[in-house]
Amino acid sequence: MANFKFDIRSIFTQPVVKISSNMLPHTFRGDRRMSLDISSKVSEIIDHLGELSAVAQKLTKPVTSAQKLRSSENQTVYLMADVNEYDSNVVIGLLKIGTKNLYLFDSIGQTRKVDKVPCILDFYIHDSRQRTGIGKKLFDIMLSEESWIPVKCAVDRPSEKLLNFLKKYYGLENIIPQANKFVLYKGFFDEDGAANRD
Ligand code: ACO
């Protein structure tokens, strides 16, 4: 379990918080001294969960770190904690998203430059809690907050687990082959037809 030496309840005033480049939860209200304290704790949490995610995906280095997030204006990390557990410091999930300008192949293999593509960049639920529906909860909160729909998202190097997840919950199955590391699904481009039914 992702435990920390400090009390995470100062950060998790609700089970899911959004963090952007200022390293503060979107719910944060406080003075400069408090903001320094909270941002340093948030950095620790993000670094730790980012490392766990990299281990789970067998990556040589984390996709998510506090340092990377600080220098990315258009990325957001959603963190989820189990705030119901009495007297414990348990963070159980991380989902990093952002927008990117990408060159993509459409369904007939033509190159398109698409600006501000909604991207799923990193996703991790603690090993001890996987396959209990927490990932779905976190993903749905993100979709609602961002007003995104799954078929319009590009997924950065998805693992088998994430491919299964997207198929199971959002019916995403038919991949449009790309030359880059992103996975796109049929329906991403408006003329794919499926997209118009959303
Ligand atoms: N094997 C196959 N499918 C899996 C597995 C697994 N070990 N774990 C989750 N899934 C998929 C399945 O579709 C599963 O449904 P099923 O149990 O009926 O087969 C479904 O996800 C379960 O849904 P949730 O419980 O809501 O998902 P979970 O809380 O486990 O979160 C996640 C999904 C984030 C992929 C999690 O399993 C995880 O952290 N895995 C390790 C790290 C990882 O692979 N992250 C994605 C990297 S790629 C990227 O981030 C862009």
Side-chain angles (χ1 to χ4, degrees), residues 25-26 42 57 94 127 137 154 168 172:
H26 70 290
V42 166
Q57 296 175 61
L94 169 148
D127 301 25
K137 260 190 210 154
K168 173 177 169 140
L172 300 181

Side-chain angles (χ1 to χ4, degrees), residues 56-76:
Q57 296 175 61
K58 299 188 172 61
L59 304 176
T60 48
K61 57 181 183 356
V63 171
T64 304
S65 69
Q67 196 189 7
K68 284 184 186 173
L69 185 61
R70 244 183 244 111
S71 56
S72 311
E73 277 307 323
N74 54 354
Q75 294 187 358
T76 303

Side-chain angles (χ1 to χ4, degrees), residues 88-110:
S88 76
N89 287 316
V90 186
V91 183
I92 53 177
L94 169 148
L95 173 56
K96 182 166 80 164
I97 55 112
T99 54
K100 286 183 185 278
N101 300 338
L102 297 174
Y103 285 95
L104 299 167
F105 289 133
D106 66 15
S107 306
I108 54 165
Q110 304 225 327

